[in-house]
Amino acid sequence: MNNALRTYFWRGSFAIIMLVALYATFVRFYYGLGASTNLSDQFPWGIWVGFDVLCGVGLAAGGFTLAAIVHIFNLKAYKAVVRPAILTAFLGYLLVTVALMFDLGRPYRVWHPLIMWNPRSVMFEVGWCVTLYTSVLFLEFLPMVLEKLGLVKAHRVLKNVMLPIIILGVILSTLHQSSLGSVFLILPTKLHPLWYSPLLPVLFYVSAIATGLAMTIFESWHSAKAFGRQLEFPLVQKMTRVLAVVIAVYLTMRFLDLYHRGALSTLNNPGWERWLFGLEIVLMAVPMLMFFRERTRENPQAIYVGTVLFLLGFVTHRLNVSVTGLEASSGVHYVPKWTEISVTLAMVAFGFFVFRMAAHYLPVFEAEEHQPVPEVPVLEDRAYAHSLARGD
Amino acid sequence: MSKAILYDSTLCVGCRQCEEACSTRWKLPYNEKIAAEEKISSHKLTTIRTFGEKFSRKLCMHCQDPACASVCPVAALQKTAAGPVVYDEDRCMGCRYCMVACPFQVPTYEWEARLPKVRKCDMCSDRVPGGGVTRCSEACAYGATITGNRDELIAEARKRIADKPKDYYPKIYGVEEVGGTSVLILASVPFDQIGYNTKVIKTALPALTWNALQHVPDVVVMGSVLMGGIHWISHRKEEVARKEGRS
Ligand code: SF4
Ligand code: SF4
Ligand code: SF4
């Protein structure tokens, strides 16, 4: 396919997805949830919660992961990818909020948890954290805009207060990324034993960190394709190593937990749960093994494939916890309606679109050129270089 | 003194007077078709279910420590001291977490409405706290559903089992289930044979979430210290360099 054709193809698909979603939106808000979803009293949450919200928040975890790596751990090598990660996170959270509007029965009351408190509710805590963290992300994203507009002074002011903001962001993320797992702790008998675990918050947290890294690799690859830029390849290679280790930690925890709870014996039971479980594990274990091999890490294509496999594994896990793992106890079979799929698809497509736009118009990828060393003034950096040159 | 409902399925004849009384209370339509539905929904908050010759009744269990109330992010559901678990529709934002969390699959939703509400039995919270009985108890001509103080009803149920051990399965459903409920049930056969969920855990569910949630303050404090510390250590090189550069 030549380039022009490809562009037409993507633009056409995008337009179709958006048009269908527009109609789906009408159905949702005019006729209500009953007409626009296959949800029922037995099955009140579907893919709008399972994918749009639960996976959406996880897929946006790169923002806090990389902010921590770069600004807290001071691993300078990762600086080149911190901005795209923050941008994705910011967009991700905005999209999650939009998706939530579709799912809530009374979306105009989305702010209620801010004034009507129930501190015993995980959802209450998640609501607060997500609201605050989205504001934090806005502040973390703001420098890109200020730079673009050449507002040097505001930029400097913001930079001076960035550290506490970043720490706050990491804490808020730790809280709600794990709490999304805690949401399901109340379902000891409803959620299938392959997925119910007291460790759910920890598993969700660790898998979110892995996904943050994976999404960053995924984006680097895409932006490299889109803007003809050289992939920061040594950096990507480094990230794949880290990713492999995080997945290994995650899978070890996952299996220890299953083993100690005696849940592995349920794999003998008939039913499709075990196949979905197998799929989820394979989609995570294969990329992990791939990334541990030097051969894979030398091949951008292989890295990309591995990353996509892992992301699919992550999505499978979250859908298993929030949708498929609840089917058996609910007594009904849930298949999303076209409207649900259409809205979800539109969220993903829209995310891609806005990211590309932002990456095109804002100094997302060229942070180094605009801002030689974001958090250390140039002078100090020179001093550091001197000290390095002197050999200490 | 907390109130409760005792439903004795061995006395129930399946006349569905309780269903009709409940629908009247909620100003919901009731007819033969709805009577035959045998499941609770936003237009039928209690139902009789048929199991061969036997009947059982489903309504909100009014748990002592209800999962639905603990998960609701806006505290729209509340366990009242008198016993009923009540719903405030003005708070509800429609997240349906209560429906997901309820171990008995009780709360239902007005799926067809543009601005839907959650619907469930409220144990006639306009009558019971003042010492009245529920509409469904009032309507039951066979004494199968009665309202009273929870401890007295438990004593009564125990007495019935002791008096006629042949007629009863020797357990009261609702004493231990999810840490206790304000609806108590008696049956002649094991409860799962007439549609009751016997797999629910025997302790209150909200404790499970609290195990995780209680760590939130610790995470905030530890996280701040840890990250501040790591930042300090990881940026020390630059600090030293800055000082040396100045001197
Ligand atoms: S039975 Fe369900 S809806 Fe009723 S109080 Fe218990 S948790 Fe809430
Ligand atoms: S649907 Fe309404 S009552 Fe139920 S948990 Fe959500 S806000 Fe609370
Ligand atoms: S207690 Fe009241 S609301 Fe509940 S089922 Fe009986 S009549 Fe209906």
Side-chain angles (χ1 to χ4, degrees):
Chain A
M1 225 185 332
N2 70 32
N3 263 344
L5 261 182
R6 190 176 303 172
T7 313
Y8 278 126
F9 172 75
W10 284 115
R11 285 197 185 153
S13 321
F14 183 73
I16 292 170
I17 290 175
M18 285 301 154
L19 279 176
V20 177
L22 208 64
Y23 181 60
T25 307
F26 167 73
V27 175
R28 157 65 188 91
F29 289 102
Y30 194 78
Y31 295 105
L33 283 165
S36 55
T37 67
N38 277 341
L39 301 175
S40 61
D41 290 336
Q42 288 72 41
F43 216 83
W45 282 354
I47 56 166
W48 286 350
V49 172
F51 184 84
D52 300 21
V53 176
L54 283 176
C55 294
V57 170
L59 293 171
F64 92 91
T65 314
L66 280 142
I69 291 178
V70 171
H71 296 290
I72 308 289
F73 288 87
N74 199 20
L75 300 175
K76 292 213 171 69
Y78 291 85
K79 215 168 247 174
V81 288
V82 70
R83 283 193 162 186
I86 285 175
L87 177 66
T88 325
F90 187 46
L91 292 177
Y93 278 84
L94 292 181
L95 283 175
V96 165
T97 314
V98 175
L100 202 58
M101 295 298 156
F102 278 82
D103 190 72
L104 288 182
R106 303 218 179 197
Y108 60 95
R109 288 179 176 171
V110 66
W111 53 275
H112 272 193
L114 299 184
I115 58 154
M116 300 173 185
W117 288 31
N118 180 12
R120 287 217 303 170
S121 162
V122 185
M123 189 85 87
F124 166 79
E125 188 233 309
V126 171
W128 264 93
C129 284
V130 169
T131 311
L132 291 174
Y133 184 55
T134 309
S135 321
V136 164
L137 277 172
F138 173 72
L139 292 175
E140 290 181 359
F141 160 79
L142 204 55
M144 298 178 219
V145 181
L146 295 177
E147 241 169 62
K148 175 76 184 178
L149 299 175
L151 296 172
V152 183
K153 223 176 178 176
H155 191 257
R156 195 159 300 150
V157 171
L158 195 59
K159 219 159 64 180
N160 285 335
V161 293
M162 221 20 144
L163 180 63
I165 293 178
I166 284 165
I167 293 184
L168 180 67
V170 177
I171 291 175
L172 288 169
S173 296
T174 305
L175 290 178
H176 72 265
Q177 292 286 0
S178 55
S179 287
L180 284 180
S182 312
V183 162
F184 299 91
L185 289 179
I186 200 95
L187 307 171
T189 47
K190 283 179 136 184
L191 184 55
H192 192 282
L194 286 171
W195 293 289
Y196 182 85
S197 151
L199 272 190
L200 271 174
V202 186
L203 291 171
F204 265 53
Y205 184 57
V206 177
S207 63
I209 292 175
T211 303
L213 290 165
M215 276 300 278
T216 311
I217 299 171
F218 181 77
E219 282 149 23
S220 308
W221 197 86
H222 270 273
S223 45
K225 287 214 89 177
F227 306 115
R229 242 171 12 94
Q230 199 55 44
L231 193 64
E232 302 92 351
F233 198 57
L235 179 55
V236 168
Q237 283 179 311
K238 221 178 199 173
M239 281 196 286
T240 20
R241 271 180 202 254
V242 182
L243 180 53
V245 174
V246 182
I247 304 177
V249 169
Y250 170 84
L251 285 177
T252 311
M253 252 172 15
R254 183 97 167 85
F255 272 99
L256 281 177
D257 169 60
L258 286 166
Y259 171 74
H260 287 302
R261 283 187 301 109
L264 286 169
S265 62
T266 62
L267 288 174
N268 293 323
N269 303 348
W272 38 259
E273 276 92 357
R274 53 181 175 181
W275 302 114
L276 280 172
F277 171 78
L279 179 71
E280 168 197 323
I281 297 298
V282 167
L283 282 173
M284 292 201 178
V286 168
M288 176 189 76
L289 296 175
M290 283 171 75
F291 294 155
F292 273 127
R293 279 167 52 109
E294 180 120 33
R295 279 255 296 284
T296 313
R297 291 199 310 272
E298 271 159 13
N299 179 352
Q301 216 81 29
I303 290 183
Y304 181 72
V305 171
T307 308
V308 171
L309 286 181
F310 170 75
L311 289 173
L312 290 174
F314 165 81
V315 168
T316 313
H317 175 242
R318 295 229 160 165
L319 287 177
N320 280 340
V321 171
S322 59
V323 180
T324 36
L326 286 165
E327 257 196 30
S329 68
S330 77
V332 293
H333 182 50
Y334 162 80
V335 183
K337 209 172 193 152
W338 70 266
T339 23
E340 293 178 82
I341 296 172
S342 153
V343 168
T344 298
L345 213 61
M347 294 292 161
V348 177
F350 195 68
F352 266 96
F353 170 76
V354 181
F355 182 83
R356 274 195 116 149
M357 283 305 181
H360 195 76
Y361 290 109
L362 294 172
V364 173
F365 283 102
E366 311 99 317
E368 299 302 300
E369 290 162 33
H370 287 254
Q371 203 58 35
V373 184
E375 93 278 42
V376 193
V378 184
L379 188 85
E380 293 162 14
D381 202 49
R382 222 173 269 147
Y384 178 47
H386 271 285
S387 72
L388 274 187
R390 281 205 313 274
D392 50 29
Chain B
M1 188 54 72
S2 124
K3 300 285 177 183
I5 292 173
L6 172 63
Y7 169 70
D8 186 337
S9 66
T10 66
L11 302 178
C12 179
V13 297
C15 67
R16 297 180 193 274
Q17 288 300 314
C18 50
E19 288 183 4
E20 185 161 9
C22 182
S23 292
T24 314
R25 159 174 161 66
W26 292 95
K27 301 192 178 65
L28 291 167
Y30 189 77
N31 51 38
E32 266 176 27
K33 200 171 140 259
I34 293 172
E37 278 172 11
E38 297 227 342
K39 68 171 200 185
I40 57 172
S41 64
S42 58
H43 63 260
K44 188 176 185 185
L45 307 191
T46 182
T47 188
I48 292 293
R49 289 176 295 180
T50 317
F51 293 87
E53 300 280 274
K54 299 186 174 66
F55 300 100
S56 75
R57 210 188 138 195
K58 182 164 181 175
L59 68 166
C60 171
M61 297 296 290
H62 298 280
C63 310
Q64 301 284 71
D65 189 359
C68 63
S70 89
V71 299
C72 176
V74 292
L77 289 154
Q78 299 272 355
K79 173 78 179 177
T80 56
V85 174
V86 295
Y87 167 68
D88 177 355
E89 62 173 80
D90 293 330
R91 287 177 164 246
C92 175
M93 58 181 196
C95 67
R96 310 186 298 287
Y97 193 9
C98 50
M99 306 174 65
V100 176
C102 172
F104 304 105
Q105 255 184 22
V106 166
T108 59
Y109 209 50
E110 296 177 330
W111 293 103
E112 304 312 318
R114 199 173 295 163
L115 294 176
K117 296 191 285 287
V118 169
R119 279 289 169 94
K120 71 170 200 65
C121 150
D122 73 338
M123 204 179 184
C124 293
S125 61
D126 55 338
R127 310 169 135 228
V128 169
V133 303
T134 65
R135 289 282 189 104
C136 50
S137 306
E138 198 177 69
C140 183
Y142 300 87
T145 299
I146 55 175
T147 310
N149 291 330
R150 186 169 186 267
D151 37 9
E152 286 167 23
L153 287 183
I154 292 176
E156 165 67 19
R158 291 219 171 99
K159 192 167 160 292
R160 287 187 196 178
I161 295 174
D163 288 352
K164 292 184 183 167
K166 278 213 210 85
D167 290 356
Y168 288 98
Y169 174 71
K171 272 192 85 111
I172 311 169
Y173 189 87
V175 171
E176 285 185 322
E177 279 68 22
V178 295
T181 62
S182 298
V183 171
L184 305 161
I185 292 158
L186 285 173
S188 57
V189 290
F191 293 101
D192 51 350
Q193 291 183 18
I194 51 169
Y196 294 105
N197 183 350
T198 47
K199 294 206 187 89
V200 294
I201 62 171
K202 302 291 182 223
T203 54
L205 289 161
L208 294 170
T209 343
W210 192 245
N211 283 342
L213 263 187
Q214 65 182 351
H215 297 301
V216 166
D218 301 344
V219 171
V220 174
V221 176
M222 272 309 293
S224 316
V225 173
L226 204 63
M227 272 185 295
I230 294 173
H231 181 270
W232 183 66
I233 295 170
S234 67
H235 287 74
R236 213 185 115 67
K237 248 194 205 160
E238 280 146 30
E239 205 133 302
V240 173
R242 194 186 317 160
K243 287 218 180 89
E244 288 186 356
R246 216 180 276 142
S247 62

